[in-house]
Structures are given as C-alpha cells and as structure tokens.
Amino acid sequence: PAMPHGLTVFLLTLAYAAAGSLLLWLGYRLFDRLTPGDMHAKIFEEGNVAVAVLAGAFVVGLSIVIAASIVG
C-alpha cells in the first residue's frame, strides 16, 4: 500500500530540515575552524558582541544559500 501524500510530504520536510541543519552546523564549524581563536569562547565566555554579529551574519548568509540549493 502506498503511503498517504500528507505523510510523504511531512517525512520529506523533516529530511530536508535535517539535511539543512546538518549543512549549516558543518558550515559554522568550518568557519569557526578557519577564523583565528575560538568563536564560541569569544561569544559566550568573553561576551564579544562583534564576533557574535559576524557569526550571526555568516549563519544567515549560509542559511540563504542552503535554502536556495534545497529548493532548486
């Protein structure tokens, strides 16, 4: 028996969300690796707002690219 259309759409949505989240996390880790210092420590331990803004802008930009590649 075939799977109901709504369930298929739901499962595909979950799969694309998981793939997008994984790609975003990997991109952030790569960006953190390529920049000097530990961004996580600078943001959360030192409270460096400039690094937080830079990381946020990178995440937003990468999210747009990932979404465009998934949508096609």
Side-chain angles (χ1 to χ4, degrees):
M3 203 179 326
H5 178 69
L7 181 59
T8 302
V9 170
F10 177 72
L11 292 175
L12 284 173
T13 301
L14 286 179
Y16 281 120
S21 297
L22 178 65
L23 288 171
L24 184 61
W25 181 79
L26 288 172
Y28 174 79
R29 296 304 301 163
L30 179 64
F31 182 66
D32 188 15
R33 193 81 113 152
L34 294 174
T35 54
D38 182 16
M39 285 188 359
H40 183 81
K42 288 192 181 299
I43 294 169
F44 295 105
E45 294 171 13
E46 299 175 22
N48 191 327
V49 177
V51 175
V53 169
L54 176 68
F58 175 79
V59 167
V60 169
L62 186 58
S63 298
I64 292 169
V65 172
I66 291 171
S69 68
I70 288 175
V71 171

